[in-house]
Structures are given as C-alpha cells and as structure tokens.
Amino acid sequence: INAEYMGNFLLGFLLLGLAHSKLIRHTFEVKEHLRYYFDPNKVWNASGPTPNNPFASPIDQRKYAVLVNGVYPGPAIVGDEGDELEVRVINLLKHTGGKLTVHWHGILQRGTPQYDGTPHVTECGIEPGHEFTYKFKLEPAGVHFYHSHVAFQTHHGLGGAIIVNRKVPPALPGYANLVPLVFTDNFIHFDYVGVDNFQSGLIMLNGQYGNGSPEYPWPKIEVVQGQCYRLAIALAMAEMSCVGLGIRGHTMRLFAKDGSDMEEVAGVDWLTARNADRYEAILCADQPVGNYEFQYFTEGGFEFQSNFGVFTTIVHYQGAPDVTTQPRQFNSYPTSTEPC
C-alpha cells in the first residue's frame, strides 16, 4: 500500500469520525437562592424573607442554595461518546466561596487538563461577575457528574449528572430507555459560609424528597409492564459516604461502573454504593402492575447518620392506582455486612 493511499485512508477515517461527533453547548448561570429545605426547587414565597434578610425564615425550613440555572440538581448533560462539550459558566455569586470552579468527575480530559476544574491546580477560579468556558471531549462512555470544588458550594447544591452514551449500544434490553438516578445529600444551612446541621441530611433522588404527605408526596418513577430500562446511577454526595438502595420485588443487572464496562452481575436486589460511585444497570418491569418501593438509606461506617432513616420513591407501573400521598410503615432492608 503506497503512502498516498494510506494518507487518504487515514484522512477519510478521521473525517468519518468527526462526522459522527457533535458540538454540545450549555450555559451555566451560578447564583445564590433561598429555597425550601424539603424541596430545593421550590422558591421561597413572597411573604417570606427578602434577599436582604434571608435568615429571618424558620431554621427548620430554609435552605440557602447555590444552583446552576436555578434548578436542583443542576441540568443534566447528555451526549454521545466523542462529542465535544462547551460549558459557559457565569459566576453570579455574592457570598459562598466567592470564586467558583466546576470539576467534571469521571471525564478523562485527555489533552485538556486545563479544563478539569480543580482550583489552584488547573485554574485559579472564576471570580464573581466573571465567566469561563470549559471545553473538552465527552469520554469515556458511562455515568459521571459535575460539582464545585470551592468551599461548601457542593453542599449548597452545585452539581449535576453527565451521561455519555456509547458509540455502539450494547445488546442489552432497554438500553435506550434512559432513567437517570442522581442521589444528592441536602442539609439545613445556618449561614452563608456553609455551616450545616449535618444530622438534617436528606437523601434526594433527582432533587426530590417525599414522606407521603399531600405537601411532600412520594417521588415517582413511571414504568410500563414488560419494558426494561437503563438506570444511570450517580452518587453525587457532598458528605454522605455510603448508601444502600434496592427496589422491592425487583432485581437489577449491573453492567458498568465508573465509566468502565464490567462483567455483568444479574439478580442484584440490594446495592451498597459509596460516594462518587456511578453504576449502569438494567431494570425490567417484570412484576404484576402495581406500586413498588424504591428504598435507600445511609449505611454504617461514616461520619454521621441522617435523622430521617429510610427514604422512599415509588416505582409506579402504568395502570396502577396512585399511592404517592398515602402514609406507610417502613419495612427496612437488612444493611450490608460489608464494611462501608
């Protein structure tokens, strides 16, 4: 094979690869907010405290939040392996930490270490009133997340999921039916500098908490009997270091962890995961039509326990009655015997 032919072949191969990748752009406006502790996506009502006096509100209800585009958790970034990502981050903070960086946990940053988001290592940080654009390739495929690396900004809510689809989807049932499951920990905040009541820790799933009351109904995941789903699980915690989770009456089929494929593990009815763990799993809605408890709680071997015990989301089959506002008794799973 002559050199000209080989050169043309390589050029064509490169152009083919570029043709299948795309540029994804996001703009992140990072601001401070006053939100409800049990519902960080609910803006404090007009009769509540003003921005000039936010801590006049009841301490058992308020959450001082640092949010991307006003939502908790921040907007999910979804793309395909090899896509180019540009995120324009605008720092509109006035109190917490002042400066700002965003770290892209799990992203390889091959050739782009300057965009890793580690303060005082790869960048000085974005000053209040300034902006910075991160540019890098989405790789590897899998589940990742972004978060702040400054002060208590992650505790206050600055973070979100990154989901990178594979170039060649695996031959797994339901892979295309994506269900993100982003676990975060939420605290009552005492002041602007990040002093938390750590015993107040709530485990939020996709930014939601419920206790079965009309005000805070159980969060709900909708499924259709006979279909399978790809669970994109990310433990994007600030403090809680170990969480157990499982769906009553169902099992999961794990096939990837932390951006790497793994030998498949079927029949998983309970998963003990550590902070920053990311899993991909297949869940099949193969039970009779009904409502099933998806339970999760903090397990032992870390610095504190939440006062709230077991947390619940309802896996709701299409056609089943709504039970999201019905009280119930918790039936706790046994905790893992493996030290966490």
Side-chain angles (χ1 to χ4, degrees):
I1 302 176
N2 62 41
E4 182 180 0
Y5 175 84
M6 194 62 186
N8 290 336
F9 174 80
L10 292 174
L11 177 61
F13 185 80
L14 175 62
L15 293 175
L16 180 64
L18 292 174
H20 285 82
S21 64
K22 58 185 179 295
L23 175 62
I24 300 172
R25 288 191 174 100
H26 285 268
T27 297
F28 284 3
E29 290 191 350
V30 180
K31 295 182 181 179
E32 292 143 325
H33 302 263
L34 190 63
R35 298 293 173 91
Y36 284 84
Y37 163 55
F38 289 107
D39 185 358
N41 285 304
K42 184 179 180 182
V43 178
W44 195 262
N45 61 47
S47 62
T50 67
N52 295 326
N53 188 22
F55 297 107
S57 58
I59 198 168
D60 62 344
Q61 297 182 30
R62 71 185 182 216
K63 174 181 175 61
Y64 169 68
V66 175
L67 304 179
V68 175
N69 298 349
V71 296
Y72 177 88
I77 295 172
V78 181
D80 297 326
E81 188 176 10
D83 286 348
E84 298 291 336
L85 178 68
E86 292 186 3
V87 182
R88 178 189 177 205
V89 178
I90 306 171
N91 184 354
L92 300 174
L93 297 176
K94 298 180 180 179
H95 300 280
T96 304
K99 289 185 179 182
L100 165 70
T101 70
V102 181
H103 172 61
W104 315 91
H105 193 102
I107 297 297
L108 292 179
Q109 298 289 5
R110 289 190 292 194
T112 53
Q114 68 272 27
Y115 296 124
D116 185 63
T118 307
H120 312 298
V121 177
T122 60
E123 64 177 280
C124 294
I126 309 167
E127 295 281 356
H130 292 73
E131 64 180 68
F132 182 74
T133 299
Y134 293 88
K135 303 176 183 180
F136 52 86
K137 183 177 292 187
L138 288 177
E139 59 177 359
V143 184
H144 315 291
F145 63 96
Y146 61 87
H147 61 88
S148 169
H149 252 310
V150 175
F152 285 84
Q153 292 167 359
T154 298
H155 295 69
H156 293 321
L158 200 169
I162 305 172
I163 300 172
V164 183
N165 298 311
R166 291 158 179 77
K167 289 181 178 179
V168 180
L172 292 171
Y175 181 84
N177 297 329
L178 177 64
V179 179
L181 299 176
V182 183
F183 291 89
T184 54
D185 45 3
N186 181 35
F187 303 93
I188 292 175
H189 297 296
F190 290 142
D191 58 31
Y192 273 132
V193 298
V195 178
D196 302 321
N197 176 355
F198 289 112
Q199 299 299 323
S200 71
L202 296 175
I203 301 178
M204 314 289 280
L205 178 55
N206 296 336
Q208 293 182 294
Y209 160 81
N211 57 18
S213 68
E215 185 176 11
Y216 300 106
W218 307 114
K220 183 167 56 175
I221 297 172
E222 304 256 7
V223 298
V224 176
Q225 187 185 42
Q227 291 194 14
C228 296
Y229 301 85
R230 172 170 50 124
L231 307 182
I233 303 168
L235 266 69
M237 304 290 199
E239 287 289 339
M240 296 185 184
S241 59
C242 191
V243 172
L245 58 100
I247 302 172
R248 194 171 296 279
H250 295 72
T251 61
M252 297 175 285
R253 180 179 174 185
L254 303 180
F255 66 91
K257 182 181 187 296
D258 298 343
S260 296
D261 292 340
M262 57 181 278
E263 184 177 347
E264 292 182 21
V265 181
V268 177
D269 60 356
W270 188 253
L271 176 64
T272 297
R274 279 78 171 171
N275 189 16
D277 279 352
R278 293 102 61 207
Y279 286 93
E280 289 180 275
I282 297 298
L283 171 72
C284 291
D286 54 6
Q287 298 300 304
V289 170
N291 294 284
Y292 297 85
E293 297 160 357
F294 181 4
Q295 294 186 320
Y296 36 97
F297 55 84
T298 57
E299 292 193 340
F302 56 98
E303 56 273 27
F304 68 93
Q305 290 276 353
S306 168
N307 284 340
F308 287 86
V310 180
F311 299 86
T312 297
T313 289
I314 301 298
V315 176
H316 174 77
Y317 278 61
Q318 188 179 81
D322 184 21
V323 297
T324 56
T325 56
Q326 295 182 13
R328 54 172 289 279
Q329 293 291 324
F330 286 113
N331 299 310
S332 62
Y333 282 92
T335 57
S336 171
T337 57
E338 179 185 358
C340 189

